[in-house]
């Protein structure tokens, strides 16, 4: 497994996962990054006040993220500035610049390796809820699988298809101006117009429920994580299956992923 390729995919896919986590949990600050030569480099941020976290290198064992790298397990602190469980060399940024109080961090695992860390944080001494952490666990599990899927060679191809790779880049970019330029290049090279919008639209809660199905959660577990009744979860999944023209929740997950909805 090429570490640089893994890091590149994590950095490309992480922004969408951070947006989903922010929408799904209401956690105001989410950020993360990939590892490079055993160090974590934070490169994707949402909800931060300044730029101090951008490009920050975190060594194993230092701060909360470094503890995650060292232990390979999630960690959470509800009073970052005062906890004795972590080192505090990043306090000038985390505490004084960003004013973060409660923070959680989870490993992004690809194969058997920890290849990145995803964080969520709140201010004003509010605690991080268990539901937010469980939802973040779904996000990192899905991200790890997405990276593994992209690293898996296509048995039907002797080599990479440049047009297919370009279409994948177009689908993943958030920069509309860049997307337009890349689509023009794709057309000029003889490629078919990449789909920019899925044919089926799912409600955010339907997508959230399907993501939980994808990581093996039962309807009862999904209900607990989403703060809903099991019957409401069944309704969301039934509606998603109907929109995707399939018969069950497993097929709905597959169809939604194929359509680019997950």
């Amino acid at each position: 497994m090429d570490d640089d390729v893994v890091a590149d995919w994590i950095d490309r896919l992480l922004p969408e996962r951070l947006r989903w986590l922010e929408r799904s949990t209401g956690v105001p600050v989410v950020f993360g990054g990939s590892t490079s030569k055993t160090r974590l480099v934070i490169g994707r941020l949402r909800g931060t006040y300044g730029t101090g976290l951008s490009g920050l290198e975190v060594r194993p064992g230092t701060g909360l993220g470094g503890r995650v790298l060292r232990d390979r397990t999630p960690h959470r602190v509800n009073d970052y500035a005062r906890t004795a469980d972590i080192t505090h060399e990043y306090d000038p940024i985390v505490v004084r610049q960003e004013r973060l109080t409660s923070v959680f961090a989870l490993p992004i695992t690809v194969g058997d390796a920890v290849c990145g860390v995803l964080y969520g944080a709140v201010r004003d001494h509010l605690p991080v809820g268990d539901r937010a952490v469980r939802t973040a666990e779904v996000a990192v599990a899905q991200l790890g699988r997405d990276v593994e899927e992209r690293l898996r060679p296509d048995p039907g191809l002797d080599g990479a298809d440049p047009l297919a790779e370009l279409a994948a880049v177009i689908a993943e970019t958030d920069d509309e101006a860049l997307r337009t330029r890349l689509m023009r290049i794709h057309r000029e090279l003889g490629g078919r117009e990449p789909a920019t919008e899925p044919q089926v639209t799912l409600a955010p809660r339907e997508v959230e429920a399907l993501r939980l199905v994808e990581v093996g959660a039962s309807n009862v577990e999904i209900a607990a994580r989403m703060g809903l009744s099991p019957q409401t979860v069944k309704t969301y999944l039934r509606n998603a299956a109907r929109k995707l023209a399939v018969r069950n929740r497993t097929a709905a997950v597959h169809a939604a992923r194929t359509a680019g909805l997950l």
Side-chain angles (χ1 to χ4, degrees), residues 37-224:
K37 298 179 180 177
T38 75
R39 293 190 178 192
L40 168 70
V41 181
I42 297 175
R44 300 291 187 264
L45 310 98
R46 293 182 66 83
T48 52
Y49 286 153
T51 60
L53 286 172
S54 181
L56 180 68
E57 293 188 5
V58 178
R59 302 185 306 278
T62 62
L64 190 65
R67 188 177 176 193
V68 169
L69 290 178
R70 183 194 65 199
D71 299 345
R72 302 171 56 88
T73 59
H75 288 291
R76 169 172 37 168
V77 294
N78 285 324
D79 190 345
Y80 189 98
R82 296 177 184 272
T83 183
D85 292 336
I86 61 172
T87 64
H88 287 277
E89 52 265 73
Y90 308 115
D91 282 13
I93 299 172
V94 175
V95 178
R96 290 196 279 279
Q97 182 183 100
E98 294 298 335
R99 304 176 194 170
L100 303 180
T101 52
S102 299
V103 185
F104 64 83
L106 298 89
I108 300 170
T109 303
V110 180
D112 295 326
V114 175
C115 299
V117 176
L118 180 148
Y119 297 80
V122 299
R123 302 182 174 101
D124 301 323
H125 298 281
L126 297 172
V128 174
D130 291 341
R131 177 173 174 264
V133 176
R134 288 195 299 266
T135 303
E137 290 171 350
V138 172
V140 295
Q142 184 60 60
L143 177 57
R145 281 202 304 275
D146 285 347
V147 173
E148 290 174 4
E149 182 178 305
R150 284 158 173 78
L151 295 175
R152 192 176 300 121
D154 188 337
L157 295 175
D158 294 329
D161 181 350
L163 283 174
E165 185 174 356
L166 179 56
V169 173
I170 292 170
E172 289 156 8
T173 183
D174 293 323
D175 187 323
E176 291 301 327
L178 178 60
R179 183 195 299 271
T180 300
R181 291 177 60 193
L182 292 175
M183 288 177 65
R184 175 180 57 78
I185 294 169
H186 190 271
R187 287 194 301 271
E188 290 174 355
L189 291 174
R192 293 185 299 174
E193 188 78 12
T196 57
E197 295 293 338
Q199 297 299 310
V200 177
T201 300
L202 298 179
R205 296 292 247 174
E206 293 167 353
V207 172
E208 185 177 357
L210 287 176
R211 286 192 186 278
L212 290 165
V213 169
E214 193 170 24
V215 296
S218 67
N219 284 359
V220 172
E221 291 171 330
I222 295 171

